[in-house]
Amino acid sequence: MSTIERIALITGGSRGLGRNAALHAAREGVDIILTYHSNAAEAQAAVAEIQALGRRAAALQLDVGDSAAFANFADQVKAVLADWGRSRFDYLVNNAGIGLHAPFTETSEAQFDELVRIHLKAPYFLTQTLLPLINDGGRIINVSSGLARFTFPGMSAYAMMKGGVEVLTRYLAKELGARGISANTIAPGAIATDFGGGAVRDDKQANAFVAGVTALGRAGQPDDIGPVVAALLSPGTKWINGQRIEASGGMML
């Protein structure tokens, strides 16, 4: 795989941690295809930011919870690649997701099924659909959560999905090794973004609690995560494979 004109596809790359990762990867010389769910203006603003860094960028609409749309999405990816003079891309970052805070006793089957579609079916079947478009020697990064290691009441369903993602990552690493494709999981801790209603960012009590159980003494920021994703896509980390990398500042040690 060439270290020149590398291309990453980042789901949910129009906002939050996905956007931060896209910008940091672009600074490292990676062109970006990002997906967005509904806010086209926000996605185009992210594209403009990436282009201002001197990299190519494109935004494609995708509801990762709708696996029936994946084949058509792959065709759209092919069209972008063709415009860029390529037939394959190098890196897939399965980042798109939603949060859910609900006690175990109150989590509905509909809520659970939505999480399954977005957090389990999406990385499984979207990766499967896009695999023919990923270069040999490429990288796959799946986004998990520190909640797959430590526990907070109200997060059982969400954390359960992320545990499944971590198992999937190990299987991808094993089964795709013959093509030289590595697969790793990044597991952020509590980050001050709009995710999950923005509680860590906006609720002073929640932010202080997170700071108090984190070895580095504060809640995480998007800029704590994007550089880790970019590093895992860099040429120097190609021998890291099948691993769970937690980026939490030492939360709940």
Side-chain angles (χ1 to χ4, degrees), residues 78-148:
K78 290 177 186 177
V80 171
L81 294 173
D83 286 344
W84 292 355
R86 290 277 295 271
S87 59
R88 292 185 175 187
F89 64 96
D90 305 288
Y91 311 135
L92 173 61
V93 182
N94 287 308
N95 164 78
I98 62 169
L100 174 66
H101 185 273
F104 170 76
T105 54
E106 298 175 17
T107 299
S108 71
E109 189 171 352
Q111 289 174 317
F112 188 93
D113 288 346
E114 183 180 34
L115 290 180
V116 169
R117 290 193 302 272
I118 291 171
H119 288 288
L120 282 180
K121 283 190 72 174
Y124 195 102
F125 289 104
L126 183 61
T127 301
Q128 185 186 81
T129 301
L130 295 175
L131 194 58
L133 301 180
I134 300 176
N135 269 324
D136 291 354
R139 314 272 179 90
I140 297 169
I141 297 178
N142 294 321
V143 176
S144 178
S145 169
L147 290 162

Side-chain angles (χ1 to χ4, degrees), residues 9-121:
L9 193 161
I10 302 177
T11 65
S14 64
R15 54 185 285 274
L17 298 186
R19 185 171 184 155
N20 193 275
L23 290 170
H24 279 281
R27 292 187 185 104
E28 298 298 322
V30 179
D31 296 328
I32 306 293
I33 301 172
L34 60 87
T35 78
Y36 66 97
H37 181 261
S38 57
N39 193 331
E42 186 177 49
Q44 289 306 317
V47 166
E49 281 191 84
I50 295 164
Q51 291 172 334
L53 296 171
R55 304 313 311 174
R56 296 178 295 191
L60 298 175
Q61 193 280 329
L62 177 67
D63 177 0
V64 297
D66 179 14
S67 56
F70 292 170
N72 180 63
F73 174 73
D75 288 338
Q76 295 179 56
V77 173
K78 290 177 186 177
V80 171
L81 294 173
D83 286 344
W84 292 355
R86 290 277 295 271
S87 59
R88 292 185 175 187
F89 64 96
D90 305 288
Y91 311 135
L92 173 61
V93 182
N94 287 308
N95 164 78
I98 62 169
L100 174 66
H101 185 273
F104 170 76
T105 54
E106 298 175 17
T107 299
S108 71
E109 189 171 352
Q111 289 174 317
F112 188 93
D113 288 346
E114 183 180 34
L115 290 180
V116 169
R117 290 193 302 272
I118 291 171
H119 288 288
L120 282 180
K121 283 190 72 174

Side-chain angles (χ1 to χ4, degrees), residues 166-178:
E166 295 183 7
V167 173
L168 169 63
T169 299
R170 294 195 296 273
Y171 274 86
L172 291 176
K174 188 73 169 181
E175 295 195 27
L176 303 183

Side-chain angles (χ1 to χ4, degrees), residues 146-226:
L147 290 162
R149 175 179 64 84
F150 47 77
T151 57
F152 287 111
M155 302 303 296
S156 62
Y158 176 82
M160 183 178 171
M161 306 303 153
K162 292 306 188 180
V165 165
E166 295 183 7
V167 173
L168 169 63
T169 299
R170 294 195 296 273
Y171 274 86
L172 291 176
K174 188 73 169 181
E175 295 195 27
L176 303 183
R179 288 185 53 191
I181 295 174
S182 67
N184 292 291
T185 300
I186 179 171
I191 309 296
T193 69
D194 61 359
F195 188 78
V200 176
R201 180 191 63 192
D202 302 331
D203 185 324
K204 290 183 179 180
Q205 186 175 359
N207 191 283
F209 173 80
V210 169
V213 296
T214 300
L216 293 181
R218 63 172 175 82
Q221 296 293 327
D223 268 338
D224 294 318
I225 306 301

Side-chain angles (χ1 to χ4, degrees), residues 226-242:
V228 180
V229 176
L232 288 172
L233 300 180
S234 68
T237 57
K238 65 182 179 181
W239 201 238
I240 298 175
N241 193 21

